[in-house]
Amino acid sequence: MTASVRKIVEVLNGKTVSPPPVWLMRQAGRYLPEYRETRTKAGSFLDLCYNPDLAVEVTLQPIRRYSFDAAILFSDILVIPDALKRNVRFEEGHGPRLDPIAAEQIRTLDPRGVSTHLSPVIETVRRLRVELPPEVALLGFCGAPWTVATYMIAGHGTPDQAPARLFAYREPDAFAFLLDFLADVSADYLVAQIDAGADAVQIFDSWAGVLGEDEFARFAVRPVRRIIDSVRARRPSAKIIAFAKGAGVLLKNYRQETKADAIGLDWAVPLSFAADLQKDGPVQGNLDPMRVVAGGKALDDGISAILDKLGNGPLIFNLGHGITPQADPENVQRLVEGVRRRGT
Ligand code: CP3
């Protein structure tokens, strides 16, 4: 079977596929007992990301259980700052920690060595394409420059990214340099993933929702467009999904402005607005991950609402953000069956 018949690729080409292909953000993760077991074996979280044997294994775990239509490379958006020597660590119960970057350090960031540092991740992509069933699409990804920059500046996760917003106002030149720098490094990384066998790539802008209108244009849209232009200049047929979480009405022109093939939607995006966005091309989303925790009617109703409103156009069924550790694996089975039952 060739890549052209993988359902997600068909949708990314603008076709309506029924039932829609389905995968879940963070589908390989702590809600799965087999993930927790491999994770314990790996040592640290980054050791898992850089160990192709184990990263291939955890990527395949949810595919074996649920036959999702896509596998997403197991890695993290913070491997880029790690490759830039920002001392990334994942501490149990604390989320990520990095050395916070100061304005005067930004121009000393060195892109040399990034691709060597990330070569185990590219090796994972290569092996996955060999191991995956031919009908399953392989997705690569990176973080959007704004979202990656928020972690590099604060040195940890924050609820509203106040440190990065403040930094952007106080140090506009250093900040603009950082976004462009991250865009260029990320574009090279995505090209390497595509060359290793990724059918499509997703750009995660998980913190887009804290930006005002002007900042969204400069810090979210522009750098993502820079990545996409750079990737397409080298790989013209590259398929790209852009996910700007929390962007709300600012998503109106996001596809046209970024040139993404598909746009990811979080669960707060009204389905009527999503249907308007879908008139211009494929959308991905947008079930509330809490419906997967709740299960039962809450889950079934959420699936039906999305399929009723978006099922007759190009749709990739997904959550509106990553699945959470407390989700019951049986509810994920119910989700996949619920989506697939509705096909014609
Ligand atoms: O989707 C997948 O299954 C692929 C793997 C993947 C991970 N992180 C694995 C992971 C992907 C695509 C990501 C993206 C990512 N990482 C984002 C963007 C998407 C989003 O969720 O908003 C962000 C912001 C990060 C940064 C990050 N990584 C944080 C804030 C954390 C800690 C929070 C948490 O959930 O613990 C991580 C850790 C992380 N990345 C885990 C996994 C499975 C859990 C860590 C563990 O197993 O110990």
Side-chain angles (χ1 to χ4, degrees), residues 23-30 35 39 45 48-49 62 72-78 90 92 94-96 141-143 147 151 157 204-207 243 245 321-323 325:
W23 70 280
L24 306 183
M25 289 186 272
R26 291 274 178 102
Q27 64 190 20
R30 287 164 293 182
Y35 171 84
R39 170 80 174 74
F45 174 71
L48 177 53
C49 294
I72 181 158
L73 161 70
F74 189 84
S75 179
D76 198 86
I77 64 167
L78 299 180
F90 286 83
E92 227 46 70
H94 289 287
F141 71 93
C142 70
T147 289
Y151 289 98
F204 285 90
D205 215 347
S206 306
W207 289 103
F243 173 55
K245 182 172 180 287
H321 197 200
I323 189 167

Side-chain angles (χ1 to χ4, degrees), residues 52-70:
D53 290 331
L54 298 182
V56 166
E57 166 58 24
V58 292
T59 305
L60 295 176
Q61 286 169 349
I63 306 301
R64 290 190 198 113
R65 262 192 196 244
Y66 306 116
S67 302
F68 285 121
D69 293 288

Side-chain angles (χ1 to χ4, degrees), residues 87 89 95-101 149-158 163:
N87 189 19
R89 316 64 93 190
R97 301 264 168 203
L98 303 73
D99 292 346
I101 196 161
T150 63
Y151 289 98
M152 290 179 74
I153 289 165
H156 52 82
T158 81

